[in-house]
Coordinates of all heavy atoms in Angstrom, one line a residue:
M1 N 9.9 -7.5 -13.5 CA 9.5 -6.8 -12.3 C 8.0 -6.4 -12.4 O 7.5 -6.2 -13.5 CB 10.3 -5.6 -12.0 CG 11.6 -5.8 -11.4 SD 12.0 -4.3 -10.5 CE 13.8 -4.3 -10.6
T2 N 7.5 -6.2 -11.2 CA 6.1 -5.8 -11.1 C 5.9 -4.6 -10.2 O 6.7 -4.5 -9.2 CB 5.2 -7.0 -10.5 OG1 5.3 -8.1 -11.4 CG2 3.8 -6.6 -10.3
C3 N 5.0 -3.8 -10.4 CA 4.6 -2.7 -9.4 C 3.3 -3.2 -8.7 O 2.3 -3.4 -9.3 CB 4.3 -1.4 -10.1 SG 3.8 -0.1 -9.0
W4 N 3.5 -3.4 -7.4 CA 2.4 -3.8 -6.6 C 1.7 -2.6 -5.9 O 2.4 -1.9 -5.3 CB 2.8 -4.8 -5.5 CG 3.1 -6.2 -6.1 CD1 4.3 -6.7 -6.4 CD2 2.1 -7.2 -6.3 NE1 4.1 -8.0 -6.9 CE2 2.8 -8.3 -6.8 CE3 0.7 -7.3 -6.2 CZ2 2.1 -9.5 -7.2 CZ3 0.1 -8.4 -6.5 CH2 0.8 -9.5 -7.0
I5 N 0.4 -2.5 -6.1 CA -0.3 -1.5 -5.4 C -1.0 -2.2 -4.3 O -1.9 -3.1 -4.6 CB -1.4 -0.8 -6.3 CG1 -0.6 0.0 -7.5 CG2 -2.2 0.2 -5.5 CD1 -1.5 0.5 -8.5
I6 N -0.7 -1.9 -3.1 CA -1.2 -2.6 -1.9 C -2.2 -1.7 -1.2 O -1.7 -0.7 -0.5 CB -0.1 -3.1 -1.0 CG1 0.9 -3.9 -1.8 CG2 -0.7 -3.9 0.2 CD1 2.1 -4.4 -1.0
A7 N -3.5 -1.9 -1.3 CA -4.5 -1.1 -0.6 C -4.8 -1.8 0.7 O -4.9 -3.0 0.8 CB -5.8 -1.1 -1.4
G8 N -4.8 -1.0 1.8 CA -5.0 -1.6 3.1 C -3.6 -1.9 3.7 O -3.4 -2.9 4.4
A9 N -2.6 -1.1 3.3 CA -1.2 -1.5 3.4 C -0.7 -1.5 4.9 O 0.4 -2.0 5.1 CB -0.3 -0.5 2.6
T10 N -1.4 -1.0 5.8 CA -1.0 -1.0 7.2 C -1.4 -2.2 8.0 O -1.0 -2.4 9.1 CB -1.4 0.3 7.9 OG1 -2.9 0.4 7.9 CG2 -0.8 1.5 7.3
S11 N -2.2 -3.1 7.3 CA -2.5 -4.4 8.0 C -1.4 -5.3 8.1 O -0.4 -5.3 7.3 CB -3.7 -5.0 7.3 OG -3.3 -5.7 6.1
A12 N -1.4 -6.2 9.0 CA -0.3 -7.2 9.2 C -0.1 -8.1 8.0 O 1.0 -8.3 7.6 CB -0.6 -8.0 10.5
I13 N -1.2 -8.5 7.4 CA -1.1 -9.3 6.2 C -0.5 -8.6 5.0 O 0.4 -9.1 4.3 CB -2.5 -9.8 5.8 CG1 -3.1 -10.8 6.8 CG2 -2.5 -10.5 4.4 CD1 -4.5 -11.1 6.7
A14 N -0.9 -7.3 4.9 CA -0.3 -6.5 3.8 C 1.2 -6.2 4.0 O 1.9 -6.2 3.0 CB -1.1 -5.2 3.7
I15 N 1.5 -6.0 5.2 CA 3.0 -5.8 5.5 C 3.8 -7.0 5.2 O 4.9 -6.9 4.6 CB 3.1 -5.3 7.0 CG1 2.5 -3.9 7.2 CG2 4.6 -5.3 7.4 CD1 2.4 -3.5 8.7
Q16 N 3.3 -8.2 5.5 CA 4.0 -9.4 5.2 C 4.1 -9.6 3.7 O 5.2 -10.0 3.2 CB 3.4 -10.6 5.9 CG 3.6 -10.6 7.4 CD 5.0 -10.6 7.8 OE1 5.9 -11.4 7.2 NE2 5.4 -9.7 8.7
F17 N 3.0 -9.3 3.0 CA 3.1 -9.4 1.5 C 4.1 -8.4 1.0 O 4.8 -8.7 0.0 CB 1.7 -9.1 1.0 CG 1.6 -9.2 -0.5 CD1 1.5 -10.5 -1.1 CD2 1.7 -8.1 -1.3 CE1 1.5 -10.6 -2.5 CE2 1.6 -8.2 -2.7 CZ 1.5 -9.4 -3.3
A18 N 4.1 -7.2 1.5 CA 5.1 -6.2 1.1 C 6.5 -6.7 1.3 O 7.4 -6.4 0.4 CB 4.8 -4.8 1.8
H19 N 6.8 -7.3 2.4 CA 8.1 -7.9 2.6 C 8.5 -8.9 1.5 O 9.6 -8.9 1.0 CB 8.2 -8.5 4.0 CG 8.3 -7.6 5.1 ND1 9.0 -7.8 6.3 CD2 7.9 -6.3 5.3 CE1 8.9 -6.8 7.1 NE2 8.3 -5.8 6.5
I20 N 7.6 -9.8 1.2 CA 7.8 -10.8 0.2 C 8.1 -10.2 -1.2 O 9.1 -10.5 -1.8 CB 6.6 -11.8 0.1 CG1 6.5 -12.6 1.4 CG2 6.7 -12.7 -1.1 CD1 5.2 -13.3 1.6
T21 N 7.3 -9.2 -1.6 CA 7.4 -8.6 -2.9 C 8.6 -7.7 -2.9 O 9.3 -7.6 -3.9 CB 6.2 -7.9 -3.3 OG1 5.8 -7.0 -2.3 CG2 5.0 -8.9 -3.6
A22 N 8.9 -7.0 -1.8 CA 10.1 -6.1 -1.8 C 11.4 -6.9 -1.9 O 12.3 -6.5 -2.6 CB 10.1 -5.2 -0.5
K23 N 11.4 -8.0 -1.2 CA 12.5 -8.9 -1.3 C 12.8 -9.4 -2.7 O 14.0 -9.6 -3.1 CB 12.3 -10.1 -0.3 CG 13.5 -11.0 -0.1 CD 13.2 -12.0 0.9 CE 14.4 -12.8 1.3 NZ 14.2 -13.8 2.3
R24 N 11.8 -9.5 -3.5 CA 12.0 -9.9 -4.9 C 12.4 -8.8 -5.8 O 12.8 -9.0 -6.9 CB 10.6 -10.4 -5.5 CG 10.1 -11.7 -4.9 CD 9.0 -12.3 -5.7 NE 8.2 -11.3 -6.4 CZ 6.9 -11.5 -6.8 NH1 6.3 -12.7 -6.5 NH2 6.3 -10.6 -7.5
G25 N 12.4 -7.5 -5.2 CA 12.8 -6.4 -6.0 C 11.7 -5.7 -6.7 O 11.9 -4.8 -7.5
D26 N 10.5 -6.0 -6.4 CA 9.3 -5.4 -7.0 C 9.1 -4.0 -6.5 O 9.5 -3.7 -5.4 CB 8.0 -6.2 -6.8 CG 8.0 -7.5 -7.6 OD1 8.8 -7.6 -8.5 OD2 7.2 -8.4 -7.2
Q27 N 8.5 -3.1 -7.3 CA 8.2 -1.8 -6.9 C 6.9 -1.8 -6.1 O 6.0 -2.6 -6.4 CB 8.0 -0.9 -8.1 CG 7.6 0.5 -7.7 CD 7.2 1.4 -8.9 OE1 7.1 0.9 -10.1 NE2 7.0 2.7 -8.7
L28 N 6.7 -1.0 -5.0 CA 5.5 -1.0 -4.2 C 4.9 0.4 -4.1 O 5.6 1.4 -4.0 CB 5.8 -1.5 -2.8 CG 6.5 -2.9 -2.7 CD1 6.9 -3.1 -1.2 CD2 5.6 -4.0 -3.2
I29 N 3.6 0.4 -4.2 CA 2.8 1.6 -3.8 C 1.9 1.2 -2.8 O 1.0 0.4 -3.0 CB 2.1 2.2 -5.1 CG1 3.1 2.5 -6.2 CG2 1.3 3.5 -4.7 CD1 2.4 2.9 -7.5
L30 N 2.0 1.8 -1.6 CA 1.2 1.5 -0.4 C 0.1 2.5 -0.3 O 0.3 3.7 -0.4 CB 2.1 1.5 0.8 CG 3.4 0.8 0.8 CD1 4.2 1.0 2.1 CD2 3.2 -0.7 0.6
L31 N -1.1 2.0 -0.1 CA -2.3 2.8 0.1 C -2.9 2.5 1.4 O -3.2 1.4 1.8 CB -3.3 2.5 -1.0 CG -2.9 2.6 -2.5 CD1 -4.1 2.3 -3.4 CD2 -2.4 4.0 -2.8
A32 N -3.2 3.6 2.2 CA -3.9 3.5 3.5 C -4.2 4.9 4.0 O -3.7 5.9 3.4 CB -3.1 2.7 4.5
R33 N -4.9 5.0 5.1 CA -5.3 6.3 5.6 C -4.4 6.8 6.7 O -4.5 8.0 7.1 CB -6.7 6.3 5.9 CG -7.1 5.4 7.1 CD -8.5 5.5 7.4 NE -8.9 4.4 8.3 CZ -10.0 3.8 8.3 NH1 -11.0 4.1 7.5 NH2 -10.2 2.8 9.2
D34 N -3.5 5.9 7.3 CA -2.7 6.3 8.4 C -1.3 6.7 8.0 O -0.4 5.8 7.9 CB -2.7 5.1 9.4 CG -2.1 5.5 10.7 OD1 -1.1 6.3 10.8 OD2 -2.5 4.9 11.8
Q35 N -1.1 8.0 7.8 CA 0.2 8.4 7.3 C 1.4 8.1 8.1 O 2.4 7.6 7.6 CB 0.2 9.9 7.0 CG 1.4 10.4 6.3 CD 1.3 11.9 5.8 OE1 0.5 12.6 6.3 NE2 2.1 12.2 4.8
P36 N 1.4 8.2 9.5 CA 2.5 7.8 10.3 C 2.9 6.4 10.1 O 4.1 6.0 10.0 CB 2.1 8.2 11.7 CG 1.1 9.3 11.6 CD 0.3 8.9 10.3
K37 N 1.9 5.5 10.0 CA 2.2 4.1 9.8 C 2.7 3.8 8.4 O 3.7 3.0 8.2 CB 0.9 3.2 10.0 CG 0.5 3.0 11.4 CD -0.6 2.1 11.6 CE -1.1 1.9 13.0 NZ -2.2 1.0 13.1
L38 N 2.2 4.5 7.4 CA 2.7 4.4 6.1 C 4.2 4.8 6.0 O 5.0 4.1 5.3 CB 1.9 5.2 5.1 CG 0.5 4.6 4.7 CD1 -0.3 5.6 4.0 CD2 0.7 3.3 3.8
I39 N 4.5 5.9 6.6 CA 5.9 6.3 6.6 C 6.8 5.3 7.2 O 7.9 5.0 6.7 CB 6.0 7.7 7.2 CG1 5.3 8.8 6.4 CG2 7.5 8.1 7.5 CD1 5.1 10.1 7.0
A40 N 6.4 4.8 8.4 CA 7.2 3.8 9.1 C 7.4 2.5 8.2 O 8.5 2.0 8.2 CB 6.5 3.5 10.4
I41 N 6.3 2.1 7.6 CA 6.4 0.9 6.7 C 7.3 1.2 5.5 O 8.2 0.4 5.2 CB 5.0 0.4 6.3 CG1 4.2 0.0 7.5 CG2 5.1 -0.7 5.2 CD1 2.7 -0.1 7.2
Q42 N 7.2 2.3 4.9 CA 8.0 2.7 3.8 C 9.5 2.7 4.2 O 10.3 2.2 3.5 CB 7.6 4.1 3.3 CG 8.4 4.6 2.1 CD 8.1 6.0 1.7 OE1 8.0 6.9 2.6 NE2 8.0 6.3 0.5
N43 N 9.8 3.4 5.3 CA 11.2 3.5 5.7 C 11.7 2.1 6.0 O 12.9 1.8 5.7 CB 11.3 4.4 6.9 CG 11.1 5.8 6.6 OD1 11.2 6.2 5.5 ND2 10.7 6.6 7.6
D44 N 11.0 1.2 6.7 CA 11.4 -0.1 7.0 C 11.7 -0.9 5.8 O 12.7 -1.6 5.7 CB 10.3 -0.8 7.9 CG 10.7 -2.3 8.2 OD1 11.7 -2.4 8.9 OD2 10.1 -3.2 7.7
L45 N 10.8 -0.9 4.8 CA 11.0 -1.6 3.5 C 12.3 -1.1 2.8 O 13.0 -1.9 2.2 CB 9.8 -1.5 2.6 CG 8.5 -2.2 3.1 CD1 7.3 -1.8 2.4 CD2 8.7 -3.7 3.1
R46 N 12.5 0.2 2.8 CA 13.6 0.8 2.1 C 14.9 0.3 2.7 O 15.9 0.0 2.1 CB 13.6 2.3 2.0 CG 12.6 2.8 1.0 CD 12.5 4.3 1.0 NE 11.7 4.8 -0.1 CZ 11.3 6.0 -0.2 NH1 11.6 6.9 0.8 NH2 10.5 6.4 -1.2
V47 N 14.9 0.3 4.1 CA 16.2 -0.1 4.8 C 16.4 -1.6 4.6 O 17.5 -2.0 4.4 CB 16.0 0.3 6.3 CG1 17.1 -0.3 7.1 CG2 16.1 1.8 6.5
R48 N 15.4 -2.4 4.8 CA 15.6 -3.8 4.8 C 15.9 -4.3 3.4 O 16.7 -5.2 3.2 CB 14.3 -4.6 5.2 CG 14.1 -4.5 6.7 CD 12.8 -5.3 7.0 NE 12.3 -5.1 8.3 CZ 12.1 -6.0 9.2 NH1 12.3 -7.3 8.9 NH2 11.7 -5.7 10.4
F49 N 15.2 -3.8 2.4 CA 15.2 -4.4 1.0 C 15.7 -3.5 -0.1 O 15.8 -3.9 -1.2 CB 13.8 -4.9 0.7 CG 13.2 -5.9 1.7 CD1 12.2 -5.5 2.5 CD2 13.7 -7.1 1.8 CE1 11.6 -6.3 3.5 CE2 13.2 -8.0 2.8 CZ 12.1 -7.6 3.6
H50 N 16.0 -2.3 0.2 CA 16.5 -1.3 -0.8 C 15.6 -1.3 -2.0 O 16.1 -1.4 -3.1 CB 18.0 -1.6 -1.1 CG 18.9 -1.8 0.0 ND1 19.3 -0.7 0.7 CD2 19.4 -2.9 0.7 CE1 20.1 -1.1 1.7 NE2 20.1 -2.4 1.7
C51 N 14.3 -1.2 -1.7 CA 13.3 -1.3 -2.8 C 12.7 0.1 -3.1 O 12.9 1.0 -2.3 CB 12.2 -2.3 -2.5 SG 11.3 -1.8 -1.1
D52 N 12.1 0.1 -4.3 CA 11.4 1.4 -4.7 C 10.0 1.3 -4.1 O 9.1 0.5 -4.5 CB 11.3 1.4 -6.2 CG 10.7 2.6 -6.8 OD1 10.2 3.5 -6.0 OD2 10.6 2.7 -8.0
V53 N 9.7 2.1 -3.1 CA 8.4 2.1 -2.4 C 7.9 3.5 -2.2 O 8.7 4.4 -1.7 CB 8.5 1.3 -1.0 CG1 9.5 1.8 -0.1 CG2 7.1 1.2 -0.4
N54 N 6.7 3.7 -2.5 CA 6.0 5.0 -2.3 C 4.7 4.7 -1.6 O 4.2 3.6 -1.5 CB 5.6 5.6 -3.7 CG 6.9 5.9 -4.5 OD1 7.5 6.9 -4.3 ND2 7.2 5.1 -5.4
Y55 N 4.1 5.8 -1.1 CA 2.8 5.6 -0.5 C 1.9 6.8 -0.9 O 2.4 7.8 -1.2 CB 2.9 5.5 1.1 CG 3.2 6.8 1.8 CD1 2.1 7.7 2.1 CD2 4.5 7.2 2.1 CE1 2.4 8.9 2.7 CE2 4.7 8.4 2.7 CZ 3.7 9.3 3.0 OH 3.9 10.5 3.6
L56 N 0.6 6.5 -0.9 CA -0.4 7.5 -1.1 C -1.5 7.3 0.0 O -1.8 6.2 0.4 CB -1.0 7.3 -2.5 CG -0.1 7.5 -3.7 CD1 -0.9 7.1 -4.9 CD2 0.3 9.0 -3.8
L57 N -2.0 8.4 0.4 CA -3.1 8.4 1.4 C -4.4 8.0 0.7 O -4.7 8.6 -0.4 CB -3.3 9.7 2.2 CG -2.1 10.1 3.0 CD1 -2.3 11.5 3.7 CD2 -1.8 9.0 4.1
L58 N -5.1 7.1 1.3 CA -6.4 6.6 0.7 C -7.3 6.2 1.8 O -7.0 5.3 2.6 CB -6.2 5.5 -0.3 CG -7.5 4.9 -0.8 CD1 -8.3 5.9 -1.7 CD2 -7.3 3.6 -1.5
D59 N -8.4 6.9 1.9 CA -9.5 6.5 2.8 C -10.5 5.8 1.8 O -11.2 6.5 1.0 CB -10.1 7.7 3.5 CG -11.2 7.2 4.5 OD1 -11.8 6.1 4.3 OD2 -11.5 8.0 5.4
A60 N -10.6 4.5 1.9 CA -11.5 3.8 0.9 C -12.9 4.2 0.9 O -13.6 4.0 -0.1 CB -11.3 2.3 1.2
E61 N -13.4 4.8 2.0 CA -14.8 5.2 2.1 C -15.0 6.5 1.4 O -16.1 6.9 1.1 CB -15.2 5.3 3.5 CG -15.3 4.0 4.2 CD -15.7 4.1 5.7 OE1 -15.9 5.2 6.1 OE2 -15.8 3.0 6.3
K62 N -14.0 7.2 1.0 CA -14.1 8.5 0.3 C -14.0 8.2 -1.2 O -12.9 8.4 -1.9 CB -13.0 9.5 0.7 CG -13.2 10.0 2.1 CD -12.1 11.0 2.4 CE -12.3 11.6 3.8 NZ -11.3 12.5 4.2
F63 N -15.1 7.8 -1.8 CA -15.1 7.4 -3.2 C -14.7 8.5 -4.2 O -14.2 8.2 -5.2 CB -16.5 6.8 -3.6 CG -16.9 5.6 -2.8 CD1 -17.9 5.7 -1.8 CD2 -16.3 4.4 -2.9 CE1 -18.3 4.6 -1.1 CE2 -16.6 3.3 -2.2 CZ -17.6 3.4 -1.3
S64 N -14.9 9.7 -3.8 CA -14.6 10.8 -4.6 C -13.1 11.0 -4.8 O -12.6 11.6 -5.8 CB -15.2 12.1 -4.1 OG -14.6 12.4 -2.8
D65 N -12.3 10.4 -4.0 CA -10.8 10.4 -4.1 C -10.2 9.3 -4.9 O -9.1 9.4 -5.3 CB -10.2 10.4 -2.7 CG -10.5 11.6 -1.8 OD1 -11.0 12.6 -2.4 OD2 -10.3 11.6 -0.6
H66 N -11.0 8.3 -5.2 CA -10.4 7.1 -5.8 C -9.8 7.4 -7.2 O -8.7 6.9 -7.5 CB -11.5 6.0 -6.0 CG -11.9 5.4 -4.7 ND1 -12.7 4.3 -4.6 CD2 -11.7 5.8 -3.4 CE1 -12.9 4.0 -3.3 NE2 -12.3 4.9 -2.6
A67 N -10.5 8.1 -8.0 CA -10.0 8.4 -9.4 C -8.6 9.1 -9.3 O -7.7 8.8 -10.1 CB -11.0 9.2 -10.2
E68 N -8.5 10.1 -8.4 CA -7.2 10.8 -8.3 C -6.1 9.9 -7.8 O -4.9 10.0 -8.3 CB -7.4 12.0 -7.3 CG -6.1 12.9 -7.3 CD -5.7 13.5 -8.6 OE1 -6.6 13.7 -9.4 OE2 -4.5 13.7 -8.8
V69 N -6.4 9.0 -6.9 CA -5.4 8.0 -6.4 C -4.9 7.1 -7.5 O -3.8 6.8 -7.7 CB -5.9 7.2 -5.2 CG1 -5.0 6.1 -4.8 CG2 -6.1 8.2 -4.0
V70 N -5.9 6.6 -8.3 CA -5.6 5.8 -9.5 C -4.6 6.5 -10.4 O -3.6 5.9 -10.9 CB -6.8 5.3 -10.2 CG1 -6.5 4.6 -11.5 CG2 -7.6 4.3 -9.3
K71 N -4.9 7.7 -10.7 CA -4.1 8.5 -11.6 C -2.7 8.7 -11.1 O -1.7 8.5 -11.8 CB -4.7 9.9 -11.8 CG -5.9 10.0 -12.7 CD -6.4 11.4 -12.8 CE -7.8 11.4 -13.5 NZ -8.4 12.7 -13.5
K72 N -2.6 8.9 -9.8 CA -1.2 9.1 -9.1 C -0.5 7.7 -9.2 O 0.7 7.7 -9.5 CB -1.4 9.5 -7.7 CG -1.8 11.0 -7.6 CD -1.9 11.4 -6.1 CE -2.4 12.9 -6.0 NZ -2.6 13.3 -4.6
C73 N -1.2 6.6 -9.0 CA -0.5 5.3 -9.1 C 0.0 5.1 -10.5 O 1.1 4.6 -10.6 CB -1.5 4.2 -8.6 SG -1.9 4.1 -6.9
M74 N -0.8 5.4 -11.5 CA -0.4 5.2 -12.8 C 0.9 6.0 -13.2 O 1.7 5.6 -13.9 CB -1.5 5.6 -13.8 CG -2.8 4.7 -13.6 SD -2.5 3.0 -14.1 CE -2.4 3.2 -15.8
T75 N 1.0 7.2 -12.6 CA 2.1 8.1 -12.8 C 3.4 7.5 -12.1 O 4.5 7.6 -12.6 CB 1.8 9.5 -12.2 OG1 0.7 10.0 -12.9 CG2 3.0 10.4 -12.4
I76 N 3.2 7.0 -10.9 CA 4.3 6.5 -10.1 C 4.9 5.2 -10.6 O 6.1 4.9 -10.6 CB 3.9 6.4 -8.6 CG1 3.6 7.7 -8.0 CG2 5.0 5.6 -7.8 CD1 2.9 7.6 -6.6
A77 N 4.0 4.3 -11.1 CA 4.3 3.0 -11.5 C 5.4 3.0 -12.6 O 5.2 3.7 -13.6 CB 3.1 2.2 -11.9
K78 N 6.4 2.2 -12.5 CA 7.5 2.1 -13.5 C 7.4 0.7 -14.2 O 8.2 0.4 -15.0 CB 8.8 2.3 -12.8 CG 9.0 3.6 -12.2 CD 10.3 3.7 -11.4 CE 10.4 5.0 -10.6 NZ 11.5 4.9 -9.6
H79 N 6.6 -0.2 -13.7 CA 6.5 -1.6 -14.2 C 5.0 -1.9 -14.3 O 4.1 -1.2 -13.8 CB 7.2 -2.5 -13.2 CG 8.6 -2.1 -12.9 ND1 9.6 -2.3 -13.8 CD2 9.1 -1.5 -11.8 CE1 10.7 -1.8 -13.2 NE2 10.5 -1.4 -12.0
P80 N 4.7 -3.1 -15.0 CA 3.3 -3.5 -15.0 C 2.7 -3.6 -13.6 O 3.4 -4.0 -12.7 CB 3.4 -4.9 -15.7 CG 4.7 -4.8 -16.5 CD 5.6 -4.0 -15.7
I81 N 1.5 -3.2 -13.5 CA 0.8 -3.1 -12.2 C 0.0 -4.4 -11.8 O -0.7 -4.9 -12.6 CB -0.2 -1.9 -12.2 CG1 0.6 -0.6 -12.3 CG2 -1.0 -1.9 -10.9 CD1 -0.2 0.6 -12.5
S82 N 0.2 -4.8 -10.6 CA -0.6 -5.8 -9.9 C -1.2 -5.1 -8.7 O -0.7 -4.2 -8.2 CB 0.2 -7.0 -9.6 OG 0.6 -7.7 -10.7
L83 N -2.4 -5.7 -8.3 CA -3.1 -5.0 -7.2 C -3.4 -6.0 -6.1 O -3.9 -7.1 -6.4 CB -4.4 -4.4 -7.7 CG -5.3 -3.7 -6.7 CD1 -4.7 -2.5 -6.1 CD2 -6.6 -3.3 -7.4
L84 N -3.2 -5.7 -4.8 CA -3.6 -6.5 -3.7 C -4.5 -5.6 -2.8 O -4.1 -4.5 -2.4 CB -2.4 -6.9 -2.9 CG -2.7 -7.7 -1.6 CD1 -3.3 -9.0 -1.9 CD2 -1.5 -7.8 -0.7
L85 N -5.7 -6.1 -2.6 CA -6.6 -5.4 -1.7 C -6.7 -6.1 -0.4 O -7.1 -7.3 -0.4 CB -8.0 -5.3 -2.4 CG -8.1 -4.4 -3.6 CD1 -9.5 -4.6 -4.2 CD2 -7.8 -3.0 -3.4
I86 N -6.5 -5.5 0.7 CA -6.8 -6.0 2.0 C -8.0 -5.3 2.6 O -7.9 -4.1 2.8 CB -5.5 -5.9 2.9 CG1 -4.3 -6.5 2.3 CG2 -5.8 -6.4 4.3 CD1 -4.3 -8.0 2.2
I87 N -9.0 -6.0 2.8 CA -10.3 -5.4 3.3 C -10.4 -5.8 4.7 O -10.6 -7.0 5.0 CB -11.5 -5.8 2.4 CG1 -11.2 -5.3 1.0 CG2 -12.7 -5.2 3.0 CD1 -12.2 -5.8 0.0
I88 N -10.4 -4.9 5.6 CA -10.6 -5.1 7.0 C -11.9 -4.5 7.4 O -12.1 -3.3 7.2 CB -9.4 -4.5 7.9 CG1 -8.1 -5.0 7.4 CG2 -9.6 -4.8 9.3 CD1 -7.8 -6.5 7.6
T89 N -12.8 -5.2 8.0 CA -14.0 -4.6 8.5 C -14.1 -4.8 9.9 O -13.6 -5.8 10.5 CB -15.2 -5.3 7.8 OG1 -15.2 -6.7 8.1 CG2 -15.2 -5.1 6.3
S90 N -14.7 -3.9 10.6 CA -15.0 -4.0 12.0 C -16.4 -4.4 12.2 O -17.3 -3.9 11.5 CB -14.6 -2.8 12.8 OG -15.4 -1.7 12.3
V91 N -16.7 -5.3 13.1 CA -18.0 -5.8 13.3 C -18.4 -5.3 14.7 O -17.8 -5.5 15.7 CB -18.1 -7.3 13.3 CG1 -19.5 -7.8 13.6 CG2 -17.6 -7.8 11.9
M92 N -19.6 -4.6 14.7 CA -20.1 -4.1 16.0 C -21.4 -4.8 16.3 O -22.2 -5.0 15.4 CB -20.4 -2.6 15.9 CG -19.1 -1.8 15.6 SD -19.4 0.0 15.3 CE -20.8 0.4 16.2
S93 N -21.5 -5.3 17.5 CA -22.8 -5.9 17.9 C -23.7 -4.9 18.5 O -23.3 -4.0 19.2 CB -22.5 -7.1 18.9 OG -22.0 -6.5 20.1
V94 N -24.9 -5.1 18.1 CA -26.0 -4.2 18.6 C -26.8 -5.0 19.6 O -27.3 -6.1 19.3 CB -26.9 -3.6 17.5 CG1 -28.0 -2.8 18.0 CG2 -26.0 -2.9 16.5
R95 N -26.9 -4.4 20.8 CA -27.7 -5.1 21.8 C -29.1 -4.5 22.0 O -29.4 -3.4 21.8 CB -27.0 -5.1 23.2 CG -25.7 -5.8 23.1 CD -25.1 -5.8 24.5 NE -23.7 -6.3 24.3 CZ -23.0 -6.8 25.2 NH1 -23.5 -6.9 26.5 NH2 -21.8 -7.2 25.0

């Protein structure tokens, strides 16, 4: 088994990846900044796949929080850790 830490966990790609890994029985730690979405995804994964899934709030732009989130992930993880980063950027045009 593996513990997947999925950063950007509320994106569609990350959710599909979470489904694939949860179906295999892997442990998941979801990271994102939208708590209501994280809770909904966590509940859905638990119901569908009966998997071990946790979430932590992470705003990737708040670099001062990164070390604490890493420590929490290390505490939660019960299996060797793998990491998936989903980076979504918004592009604004300037006229």
Side-chain angles (χ1 to χ4, degrees):
M1 278 207 212
T2 298
C3 176
W4 284 96
I5 299 172
I6 305 175
T10 58
S11 75
I13 293 169
I15 292 168
Q16 288 305 310
F17 182 80
H19 282 210
I20 292 166
T21 54
K23 190 175 185 178
R24 291 189 337 198
D26 290 340
Q27 179 187 8
L28 305 175
I29 302 173
L30 310 176
L31 306 178
R33 63 180 169 213
D34 188 330
Q35 187 171 22
K37 283 186 183 178
L38 284 168
I39 292 169
I41 295 165
Q42 178 188 43
N43 290 338
D44 179 65
L45 291 167
R46 284 181 174 166
V47 168
R48 285 181 195 236
F49 304 108
H50 307 285
C51 64
D52 183 359
V53 57
N54 296 280
Y55 75 85
L56 296 170
L57 294 177
L58 173 68
D59 183 340
E61 293 180 359
K62 292 185 179 177
F63 298 112
S64 60
D65 294 347
H66 290 191
E68 185 61 29
V69 170
V70 169
K71 288 178 189 175
K72 289 179 181 178
C73 287
M74 298 294 287
T75 301
I76 294 169
K78 300 173 187 168
H79 306 286
I81 294 174
S82 292
L83 176 65
L84 175 68
L85 295 173
I86 303 294
I87 300 172
I88 306 293
T89 60
S90 58
V91 178
M92 296 173 34
S93 64
V94 177
R95 293 181 192 205

